[in-house]
Amino acid sequence: MAEAKHVQEQDLNQLLKVRREKLLELQAAGKDPFQITKYDVTHHSREIKENYDALEGQVVRVAGRVMQKRVMGKASFCNVQDLEGNIQSYVARDSIGEEPYKDFKKFDIGDLVGIEGEVFTTKTGEISIHAASVTLLSKSLQILPEKYHGLTNTDLRYRQRYTDLIMNEEVKDTFVKRSKIISAIRRYLDGQGFMEVETPMLVSNAGGAAARPFETHYNALDEDVKLRISLELYLKRLIVGGLERVYEIGRVFRNEGVDTRHNPEFTLMELYQAYTDYYGMMDLTENMYRYVAQEVLGTTEVTYGDQVIDLGKPFERLTMIDAVKKYAGVNFDQVVDTEAAKKLADEHHVEYEDRHTKGDILSLFFEEFCEEKLVQPTFIMDHPIEISPLTKKKPDKPGYVERFELFITGREMANAYSELNDPIDQRERFAAQEAAFAAGDEEANHTDEDFLNALEIGMPPTGGIGYGIDRLVMLLTNSPSIRDVLLFPTLKSVDK
């Protein structure tokens, strides 16, 4: 086994050596491909195939990577892959010239070329380009993975995304769709009168979510700062300033674990709308999800794994208490206090900490018994106040707040509030968060005096929501892991 591997490595090293020797020959002959600065592309592969009737016999210029090559004496075929797909080219010595043809025969799989020629159909019916010239634009000095098995090592795929995009068409399709999803979101929100803004990533107080921040030091100011964990508090300041509908799509950073649903840096979108509440956010969310799915996929029925998710139907709406009653058989409306809640948790084998109160334990019951059951779109409403420090209380139920989370495929997709705009109440909530931090909760918020000052100036009734963009992309591209929708996911260093 070891001997076979050694022979394989020797063969690979020899192939790599040959490629470098070819480059040296080209450079010695004054044909260094790395000296070429541009190539005017007129068409892409799919465009040619979809418009063949209009383009037959016309001269086109395409550029891309050589993925297949068949040399047959005085005429050859090669397959070139570009952004939109691939197209075959017929390369004949009599058409491009003897010297260029001799050079072409030495091209390797993976080389980048430009091809100019007429569009035609071969005897087998394949739309192709009859090359009049072939230009080597860049020499590939590495060996691509074997075509039919592709790049299958998952860790290597993530580390070498550039190779993954070349070898796996479905991967490229995922990231093309990701771009279209974000563009569709922007179109929808812009059409609703929202304004896109940008807020700081380096902050002195990383608030707005329950998460541990990354910390760093700002040398110019000699101050410790944090990477933001949320977009919330700055966007609310803009609502105070009179920008009535704002949104931001940006990276946030949370110093937590890595799994199929979590990456330490991820793309979050938050939006805030003055003079509405969490019901307004529900309506907006339903409409936006349908719009984006229709725009990107052409349907509101989305296949995810072995499930068909129907975004066209009204999303189910359940309070957290009703969800726990439905899936765990426990009615927290009848739980009188924290002691009774802890007794119930013991009976149902739900783990909790000493500092947890009745509201915390309700949330733990929901996580344990309900989340994975919420496959079709479901709004879970009216969370306990203990886990919602920035949310308005329900007037008729002060222990609970006007908040919802959207769940699809058992995953949280969005989190929304009727935003707390009472500065006195907000200060008390921050104090409770400081106490939780002192008791050992490293994810608790800290008091933000400038934000409190903004609230004292006056914030209108406001609805706000945060969306995990990566999870939305996972849903609409049928991707099982967040790493599949991040071009460069966080990975442990190879030398660790």
Side-chain angles (χ1 to χ4, degrees):
M1 184 80 172
E3 185 178 346
K5 185 178 179 182
H6 177 67
V7 171
Q8 190 177 35
E9 287 177 353
Q10 280 188 317
D11 290 344
L12 178 60
N13 289 335
Q14 183 59 33
L15 290 171
L16 295 174
K17 182 182 177 185
V18 168
R19 291 197 175 206
R20 280 161 174 75
E21 289 172 349
K22 287 181 180 179
L23 175 61
L24 290 173
E25 288 175 12
L26 288 165
Q27 291 170 331
K31 300 175 182 177
D32 186 352
F34 300 127
Q35 295 297 314
I36 295 175
T37 58
K38 64 177 292 189
Y39 188 83
D40 292 326
V41 175
T42 63
H43 296 78
H44 283 82
S45 55
R46 185 188 304 153
E47 181 185 4
I48 293 170
K49 292 177 179 180
E50 291 178 352
N51 298 280
Y52 176 74
D53 290 345
L55 291 173
E56 182 183 12
Q58 300 294 312
V59 174
V60 296
R61 289 166 63 91
V62 300
R65 193 177 298 275
V66 177
M67 298 302 291
Q68 291 178 313
K69 186 163 161 270
R70 301 194 308 278
V71 177
M72 301 177 296
K74 298 178 182 179
S76 303
F77 286 94
C78 70
N79 189 283
V80 175
Q81 178 176 293
D82 63 15
L83 173 66
E84 296 182 354
N86 59 77
I87 193 163
Q88 179 177 267
S89 179
Y90 173 68
V91 184
R93 184 189 68 182
D94 292 345
S95 298
I96 71 169
E98 189 168 343
E99 189 68 24
Y101 187 67
K102 191 183 297 182
D103 291 339
F104 168 79
K105 289 198 293 183
K106 295 180 181 179
F107 289 179
D108 291 305
I109 302 300
D111 286 351
L112 288 152
V113 299
I115 295 177
E116 180 177 359
E118 290 185 7
V119 178
F120 80 111
T121 305
T122 64
K123 291 178 181 178
T124 59
E126 183 167 356
I127 295 171
S128 307
I129 299 170
H130 189 145
S133 68
V134 181
T135 305
L136 181 63
L137 302 175
S138 184
K139 184 70 187 163
S140 176
L141 300 179
Q142 282 286 353
I143 311 295
L144 290 176
E146 197 273 318
K147 175 67 177 173
Y148 295 101
H149 294 95
L151 183 62
T152 55
N153 180 300
T154 302
D155 186 69
L156 190 60
R157 284 180 51 224
Y158 297 144
R159 292 185 189 279
Q160 296 186 14
R161 184 66 85 187
Y162 41 89
T163 309
D164 191 25
L165 290 165
I166 294 166
M167 300 309 301
N168 295 315
E169 188 65 31
E170 67 278 8
V171 172
K172 183 188 290 184
D173 182 62
T174 292
F175 289 104
V176 169
K177 281 181 179 168
R178 180 186 175 107
S179 178
K180 290 179 177 178
I181 288 164
I182 293 173
S183 293
I185 289 170
R186 284 192 165 105
R187 280 196 303 277
Y188 178 78
L189 291 178
D190 293 348
Q192 297 295 310
F194 281 83
M195 171 180 164
E196 185 172 10
V197 298
E198 294 177 312
T199 61
M201 289 190 181
L202 289 173
V203 295
S204 58
N205 187 348
R212 292 178 61 187
F214 288 94
E215 299 181 5
T216 187
H217 186 76
Y218 192 172
N219 292 333
L221 298 179
D222 192 24
E223 289 183 0
D224 291 333
V225 291
K226 302 175 179 67
L227 288 170
R228 67 185 181 187
I229 60 173
S230 168
L231 313 174
E232 179 168 347
L233 300 186
Y234 280 97
L235 291 177
K236 285 182 176 178
R237 286 168 167 91
L238 299 181
I239 295 291
V240 170
L243 304 181
E244 294 182 359
R245 299 187 183 204
V246 294
Y247 75 96
E248 180 174 7
I249 300 173
R251 287 281 189 167
V252 296
F253 309 86
R254 298 183 180 179
N255 200 348
E256 54 192 22
V258 178
D259 58 30
T260 58
R261 302 185 191 187
H262 298 90
N263 195 71
E265 57 174 307
F266 62 97
T267 302
L268 180 65
M269 180 177 78
E270 292 195 31
L271 63 85
Y272 293 85
Q273 179 179 341
Y275 312 113
T276 191
D277 61 4
Y278 71 146
Y279 288 107
M281 293 295 100
M282 287 187 216
D283 294 340
L284 183 148
T285 298
E286 280 198 48
N287 292 332
M288 187 183 77
Y289 265 62
R290 291 187 191 115
Y291 175 87
V292 172
Q294 190 68 47
E295 283 279 296
V296 177
L297 304 179
T299 179
T300 55
E301 291 192 351
V302 178
T303 299
Y304 190 82
D306 58 359
Q307 302 277 351
V308 176
I309 307 302
D310 191 347
L311 300 176
K313 291 182 178 178
F315 294 6
E316 186 177 4
R317 301 184 180 191
L318 280 176
T319 67
M320 185 175 282
I321 284 178
D322 285 343
V324 169
K325 192 187 304 181
K326 179 176 179 179
Y327 294 109
V330 175
N331 185 356
F332 266 77
D333 273 337
Q334 297 176 353
V335 178
V336 293
D337 54 22
T338 294
E339 185 178 347
K342 288 182 175 179
K343 183 179 178 184
L344 270 174
D346 292 335
E347 292 171 0
H348 289 80
H349 308 291
V350 173
E351 294 183 4
Y352 59 88
E353 299 176 23
D354 287 343
R355 63 182 176 83
H356 283 153
T357 63
K358 173 186 168 182
D360 295 307
I361 292 170
L362 168 61
S363 178
L364 292 172
F365 264 81
F366 173 76
E367 291 173 8
E368 181 73 24
F369 296 105
C370 306
E371 280 193 15
E372 65 181 15
K373 307 285 200 323
L374 305 176
V375 176
Q376 295 299 324
T378 306
F379 290 121
I380 296 296
M381 308 157 50
D382 301 350
H383 294 50
I385 195 169
E386 291 91 334
I387 62 169
S388 310
L390 299 166
T391 316
K392 270 195 174 183
K393 295 175 185 175
K394 288 183 69 63
D396 58 341
K397 206 168 187 180
Y400 296 84
V401 296
E402 294 192 348
R403 173 184 175 188
F404 74 79
E405 292 173 287
L406 171 64
F407 285 86
I408 306 176
T409 67
R411 297 172 180 171
E412 179 201 336
M413 306 293 287
N415 185 20
Y417 310 154
S418 294
E419 301 298 335
L420 178 61
N421 62 343
D422 178 346
I424 297 170
D425 190 352
Q426 181 64 78
R427 184 175 290 280
E428 292 171 356
R429 307 275 191 99
F430 275 142
Q433 287 288 295
E434 295 283 8
F437 181 80
D441 184 356
E442 294 182 344
E443 296 184 348
N445 283 206
H446 293 283
T447 303
D448 187 326
E449 289 293 346
D450 183 73
F451 176 65
L452 288 169
N453 184 64
L455 289 187
E456 288 179 358
I457 288 173
M459 187 173 87
T462 298
I465 187 165
Y467 300 91
I469 296 296
D470 306 307
R471 292 186 182 181
L472 174 57
V473 176
M474 288 170 65
L475 174 67
L476 297 185
T477 60
N478 196 12
S479 298
S481 170
I482 193 171
R483 291 183 175 186
D484 295 326
V485 300
L486 297 174
L487 281 166
F488 301 102
T490 302
L491 299 166
K492 192 171 184 178
S493 300
V494 290
D495 57 351
K496 292 293 185 183

